[in-house]
Amino acid sequence: MNTVKVCSRCIMDETAKEITFDNDGVCNFCHNYDNVLVNDVHTDKGGEEKLEKLIEEIKRKGKNSRYDCLIGLSGGVDSSYVAYIIKKKYGLRAFAIHLDNGWNTELAVANVEQIVKRLDIDLDTCVLDWKEFRDIQTSFLKSSISNIEIPTDHAIWALLIKTAAKMKIPYIIAGNNVVTESIMPESWLYGSKDSKLIKSLHRQFGKVKMKTYPSLSTLDYVDYLLVRGIRWVPILNYIPYNKAEAKQTLIDELGWQDYGGKHYESIFTRFFHAFYLPVKFGYDLRKSYLSALVCSGQISRDEALAEISKPPAPKDMLDQDRDYVIKKLGLSEDEFDVIMKSPNKTYVDYPNNESLWKRFHSVIRIARNYIIRVG
């Protein structure tokens, strides 16, 4: 009987092929978490002062404009909490963007409506061309790579940056954060910023011409973020961010409703996390998210192990999501079975930008630090 070795500190295990362990059984993801925590999380007095200085700068630059900053709003915990603190704590005038890719749950829609109403935030919802986006999502399913959420994540990223440029809003305040998201094997989820991968997969498996899908090329990143100087502010790295406490604040203050698992505000994302990855690849993303919470001290390892022993979603929900995805994407049962049984692939099996980014890794790291600088 094969046994899977599990980290002695978190709950990451050998289902992540790049995992290694030290002599104490602690995995490389834990050590990387500690390094990222030192470099990217600034919740001490110095970080607080830098953030307050940046907030003053944002207000000063926005005083003759209608909005101080741009935020993305999915209805999930992180983005909702960002909306809450920038309005309630810092008094910023935010413009919110919501991407509707056709997979929102009713709960996510209700949360977005409650947040903008109670916080008095202006909102624009970008509805993707469904025929075109369905073709892109289907292409990713047919490619048999693990991260079939790249089209949605890339579209959100591109929409925010292009909207900021169009509306001349120099600051995007985002909910990405270290304490709950910084453990993730690249073999499970390759990054979403690679538009070359999106185009190559769609070119090979798609049928509908890509005309309106929000996308950013490598040159676009240089143009928008370095030449035009749009700043990306991961504000949750500058405040003490506790997921459970943030949820309770949203529930108490904004009437926000919990939807269960991480990113389960989208039916497709729930299908991706709870069905597609576990069944086709044997990956359970909860291991990553729970491990980050263990490393940040928000839950114990025993609590994480107890949580991971449960199914990712109730069976009736998994069956409903599977059937819904098949029907909404216009697939037959046979076509879906072929997808699920096809040999698994990775992003390296298709044209992508990884070699380019590796070649300029040092430059990109400097550019990233410049773009997300605070203070």
Side-chain angles (χ1 to χ4, degrees):
M1 179 178 176
N2 291 327
T3 57
V4 177
K5 186 173 181 179
V6 183
C7 175
S8 61
R9 178 183 171 191
C10 71
I11 63 168
M12 289 302 292
D13 61 29
E14 291 175 321
T15 54
K17 69 177 186 181
E18 55 269 71
I19 197 168
T20 59
F21 301 93
D22 66 16
N23 292 335
D24 296 321
V26 177
C27 74
N28 54 318
F29 295 108
C30 284
H31 290 302
N32 183 62
Y33 180 93
D34 293 338
N35 291 331
V36 174
L37 195 68
V38 169
N39 294 320
D40 288 353
V41 176
H42 310 282
T43 54
D44 56 4
K45 186 67 177 175
E48 183 181 337
E49 290 174 356
K50 285 183 178 180
L51 181 59
E52 288 177 355
K53 186 177 177 183
L54 176 65
I55 296 296
E56 290 174 6
E57 177 186 311
I58 292 173
K59 288 180 177 177
R60 186 174 65 252
K61 288 191 176 181
K63 67 179 182 181
N64 294 321
S65 303
R66 186 171 180 182
Y67 304 106
D68 296 312
C69 60
L70 182 71
I71 61 172
L73 193 56
S74 69
V77 182
D78 299 338
S79 66
S80 299
Y81 194 64
V82 167
Y84 173 80
I85 59 170
I86 64 169
K87 181 74 176 187
K88 289 287 190 179
K89 183 173 182 179
Y90 298 111
L92 294 175
R93 298 167 300 155
F95 183 72
I97 291 286
H98 174 71
L99 180 81
D100 182 351
N101 65 355
W103 295 99
N104 281 338
T105 61
E106 292 181 4
L107 207 52
V109 174
N111 278 338
V112 170
E113 289 176 352
Q114 279 291 323
I115 290 163
V116 297
K117 180 181 178 183
R118 295 204 185 191
L119 294 175
D120 191 24
I121 292 176
D122 289 343
L123 169 75
D124 183 45
T125 296
C126 173
V127 182
L128 296 182
D129 181 300
W130 173 241
K131 188 176 179 181
E132 186 178 328
F133 189 66
R134 178 180 63 184
D135 196 54
I136 297 170
Q137 282 195 309
T138 305
S139 299
F140 269 70
L141 270 171
K142 290 180 176 177
S143 75
S144 276
I145 70 169
S146 57
N147 192 358
I148 54 174
E149 274 288 67
I150 287 176
T152 294
D153 293 340
H154 185 88
I156 292 171
W157 175 253
L159 179 65
L160 281 170
I161 290 175
K162 289 188 173 182
T163 300
K166 182 180 178 182
M167 297 181 68
K168 299 188 184 306
I169 300 175
Y171 298 94
I172 299 171
I173 301 188
N176 58 296
N177 66 91
V178 168
V179 296
T180 68
E181 296 183 330
S182 59
I183 291 181
M184 184 58 68
E186 191 171 77
S187 61
W188 291 6
L189 294 188
Y190 177 64
S192 60
K193 298 179 180 63
D194 193 338
S195 59
K196 184 176 181 179
L197 177 67
I198 297 171
K199 289 177 181 176
S200 66
L201 291 186
H202 186 247
R203 192 178 303 117
Q204 183 167 340
F205 298 104
K207 299 175 182 175
V208 178
K209 190 171 182 179
M210 195 185 295
K211 294 180 180 176
T212 62
Y213 172 73
S215 178
L216 290 171
S217 67
T218 302
L219 288 178
D220 284 336
Y221 289 118
V222 174
D223 177 23
Y224 287 114
L225 300 176
L226 296 179
V227 177
R228 303 193 200 193
I230 294 173
R231 300 265 292 275
W232 187 274
V233 182
I235 194 169
L236 299 182
N237 288 343
Y238 286 82
I239 62 171
Y241 183 53
N242 181 290
K243 196 93 167 183
E245 292 175 2
K247 277 186 180 182
Q248 196 58 53
T249 298
L250 294 172
I251 291 169
D252 294 342
E253 300 288 329
L254 302 181
W256 182 87
Q257 300 177 70
D258 197 356
Y259 43 79
K262 186 173 175 63
H263 296 316
Y264 280 13
E265 65 268 28
S266 158
I267 296 171
F268 188 83
T269 306
R270 191 169 63 203
F271 159 81
F272 167 59
H273 283 210
F275 184 88
Y276 177 79
L277 282 178
V279 173
K280 185 170 172 60
F281 290 87
Y283 302 158
D284 190 336
L285 297 185
R286 293 178 303 164
K287 293 175 184 174
S288 295
Y289 301 134
L290 290 167
S291 290
L293 293 178
V294 171
C295 287
S296 64
Q298 298 190 26
I299 62 172
S300 69
R301 184 173 182 271
D302 286 343
E303 288 173 319
L305 288 170
E307 183 64 28
I308 205 70
S309 68
K310 303 173 185 174
K315 186 178 184 309
D316 58 343
M317 179 182 284
L318 294 177
D319 292 340
Q320 288 174 16
D321 287 350
R322 175 192 175 279
D323 294 345
Y324 186 73
V325 167
I326 291 172
K327 183 177 180 181
K328 191 170 174 73
L329 290 179
L331 297 168
S332 67
E333 284 284 346
D334 288 343
E335 288 174 321
F336 184 74
D337 284 344
V338 168
I339 288 170
M340 294 302 290
K341 293 175 181 175
S342 294
N344 293 339
K345 300 284 186 69
T346 76
Y347 63 93
V348 301
D349 293 310
Y350 302 98
N352 63 74
N353 272 327
E354 186 185 38
S355 60
L356 176 69
W357 291 344
K358 280 187 174 179
R359 192 183 316 155
F360 294 102
H361 173 72
S362 298
V363 176
I364 291 172
R365 186 175 57 187
I366 294 171
R368 172 187 174 276
N369 290 337
Y370 175 76
I371 294 161
I372 67 171
R373 70 190 185 280
V374 169

